[in-house]
Amino acid sequence: MTARDAADRPRRRRASAFIAAIAAVALLVSGSIAVTERPAYAVDYPSWDDVLDARRDVARAQAKIKEIRAAIAAITAEVERTQAIAQEKGDIYYEAQLAFDEAAFTADQLQAQADEAQARADESRSRAGQFVAELARSGGGDLSASLFTNPGNADELLSRLGFASKITEQAEGIYAAALQDQNAAQSLTDQANVAKEIRDELRLEAQAAFEAAQVAAEAAQNALIAQQENQARLEAQLDVLIKNRAATEKDYRAGIAAQYGSGSSLGAGQIKNGWAVPTNGYISSGYGYRVHPISGAVRFHAGVDIANAAGTPIYAAASGVVEYAGWSGGFGNYIRINHGNGLTTGYPHLQNGGILVRLGQEIVVGQNIGRMGTTGYSTGNHLHFEVRQNGVATNPVTYLRNKGLTIG
């Protein structure tokens, strides 16, 4: 076993253990999805006519007050239930994504090393071939026979024989080196192939976890919208009954739904080639392996951290559709935008209440989609910005630089 084999074995064991664990989780995920698709309660909301009729009769008013309070409790419980499921699925998705990111990076690194080793092996093989050709040109063992047939050229022939012997020794050494280089290249190629198999398995698990989290986030979002729309009306109705005053629906309209911005929030000069820098600030942590500021473990960092004050506006880096908006484990409050052709961008750690878009919403480049925060695994206010192609992370600094933009 090589030193590299020994070093990689714990990683493979961890990846295999994760795969086994996530397979078990998948059963829970599938079961929970079914739960989130059906409502946990059915509320027969009173109409304004019901309320206005009830306020004229004390007994009916008391009964209607009790009914409304029960409805408010039911929609509040539904929000809490769906948000708890969304958080659970978001945690699973976050861990699955981390495992895939590390496996993908490891596979890329091993493949690069295998390619370099193969290039060295090819060079060694070529060098060995050149020496074999030189040995053939020198005459090899036939020189000894020439001593008897051409005694007048003995000095020259003996010199050539000694030269051939040296070439033979060197050729044997070079051949051995070429064989060793080829074996090293094959070993690294085998390791890279194993790493790719692990990566592909974890890709499927991460996608399944994402889809489960997406369903749960949508259920939580719908429950929250229902709460915002119905609770304001129910509380206004309750106020009418308790205070015995006449009122209409205009009493509650102001607070029914959260308002979402539309259109770009950035000027044309801040957008280049259809892309924009997602926020202002300085780079506090770059892309690649690092010592995690909370756990202290060496982990792969699949994005770039841009730090600034709490509430700093976060903008869509490109136009697309929101495919995730909710909690995601260590990412905290998280938005993911699909830009088509397998390209996505991610915006984690948004402050509580800092998600300004909804699942399925169409977004334009430069639109204000959130506010910077420090939710999830975070030691300070920042945006962890990610760019992914077909699920695989790439360096956002390099990616935007190729678009003519500078982060930080």
Side-chain angles (χ1 to χ4, degrees):
M1 180 188 298
T2 65
R4 185 178 301 278
D5 288 330
D8 285 347
R9 174 169 287 183
R11 180 183 298 279
R12 291 198 294 270
R13 280 202 299 266
R14 290 195 300 271
S16 298
F18 179 83
I19 293 168
I22 202 71
V25 169
L27 297 174
L28 298 177
V29 169
S30 60
S32 297
I33 291 176
V35 172
T36 60
E37 289 177 344
R38 70 174 191 274
Y41 67 95
V43 177
D44 184 13
Y45 294 116
S47 69
W48 276 98
D49 288 340
D50 292 337
V51 172
L52 294 178
D53 286 342
R55 63 184 284 267
R56 301 187 185 99
D57 183 301
V58 174
R60 288 180 61 198
Q62 292 299 319
K64 190 60 66 177
I65 287 173
K66 184 177 180 180
E67 177 186 338
I68 291 173
R69 283 175 173 164
I72 291 174
I75 61 175
T76 300
E78 174 67 357
V79 169
E80 293 175 352
R81 185 189 74 84
T82 54
Q83 287 181 341
I85 293 173
Q87 181 165 340
E88 175 191 353
K89 298 299 176 287
D91 290 345
I92 294 171
Y93 163 46
Y94 173 76
E95 293 298 332
Q97 188 65 64
L98 284 185
F100 167 72
D101 287 341
E102 291 194 350
F105 188 80
T106 298
D108 287 345
Q109 293 294 98
L110 284 171
Q111 186 59 59
Q113 293 172 21
D115 292 343
E116 291 177 3
Q118 188 60 54
R120 287 194 300 270
D122 291 344
E123 183 180 353
S124 295
R125 188 165 55 248
S126 175
R127 188 181 303 115
Q130 291 171 2
F131 271 88
V132 170
E134 183 64 28
L135 179 61
R137 284 196 298 272
S138 70
D142 292 338
L143 291 177
S144 58
S146 298
L147 286 174
F148 298 100
T149 59
N150 298 288
N153 298 322
D155 290 342
E156 179 184 353
L157 292 171
L158 286 171
S159 175
R160 290 177 60 193
L161 184 61
F163 179 60
S165 177
K166 291 179 181 179
I167 290 179
T168 301
E169 293 175 2
Q170 293 179 31
E172 289 175 350
I174 291 175
Y175 174 77
L179 185 61
Q180 183 177 0
D181 287 343
Q182 184 59 51
N183 289 338
Q186 186 60 53
S187 175
L188 283 167
T189 298
D190 292 343
Q191 292 178 52
N193 289 336
V194 170
K196 287 176 183 178
E197 291 176 3
I198 293 173
R199 176 202 63 191
D200 292 342
E201 290 172 344
L202 292 178
R203 183 200 299 274
L204 295 176
E205 301 300 344
Q207 182 61 29
F210 168 73
E211 291 172 0
Q214 189 181 42
V215 169
E218 184 174 15
Q221 174 179 281
N222 291 338
L224 183 61
I225 292 172
Q227 183 190 46
Q228 291 171 334
E229 292 178 346
N230 291 303
Q231 186 161 337
R233 174 165 54 85
L234 292 169
E235 288 178 348
Q237 292 175 343
L238 198 59
D239 186 66
V240 167
L241 292 172
I242 292 174
K243 295 181 180 179
N244 193 26
R245 67 179 180 84
T248 64
E249 295 184 38
K250 68 181 181 181
D251 287 356
Y252 76 94
R253 285 177 180 168
I256 284 183
Q259 298 300 309
Y260 296 90
S262 61
S264 177
S265 305
L266 295 178
Q270 296 170 282
I271 299 173
K272 296 181 181 179
N273 301 309
W275 285 78
V277 175
T279 193
N280 297 318
Y282 65 93
I283 295 177
S284 58
S285 186
Y287 176 86
Y289 272 98
R290 65 169 185 173
V291 176
H292 195 279
I294 295 178
S295 68
V298 176
R299 299 296 300 267
F300 181 67
H301 191 226
V304 59
D305 290 348
I306 309 170
N308 209 326
T312 298
I314 306 299
Y315 306 101
S319 299
V321 177
V322 177
E323 65 176 9
Y324 194 88
W327 184 265
S328 180
F331 275 172
N333 296 316
Y334 172 58
I335 296 171
R336 184 164 122 176
I337 299 177
N338 189 329
H339 306 288
N341 298 318
L343 185 64
T344 63
T345 53
Y347 311 80
H349 304 305
L350 304 179
Q351 65 182 194
N352 289 324
I355 295 178
L356 306 182
V357 293
R358 293 178 178 175
L359 195 65
Q361 182 177 345
E362 292 188 5
I363 301 298
V364 298
V365 58
Q367 182 172 332
N368 184 196
I369 59 172
R371 292 188 290 267
M372 186 179 294
T374 183
T375 56
Y377 298 157
S378 171
T379 58
N381 292 294
H382 73 284
L383 170 69
H384 168 86
F385 177 56
E386 291 188 348
V387 177
R388 293 176 179 274
Q389 183 66 55
N390 297 322
V392 179
T394 187
N395 191 332
V397 173
T398 304
Y399 191 90
L400 287 192
R401 184 184 299 137
N402 291 335
K403 303 292 183 182
L405 298 165
T406 301
I407 296 179

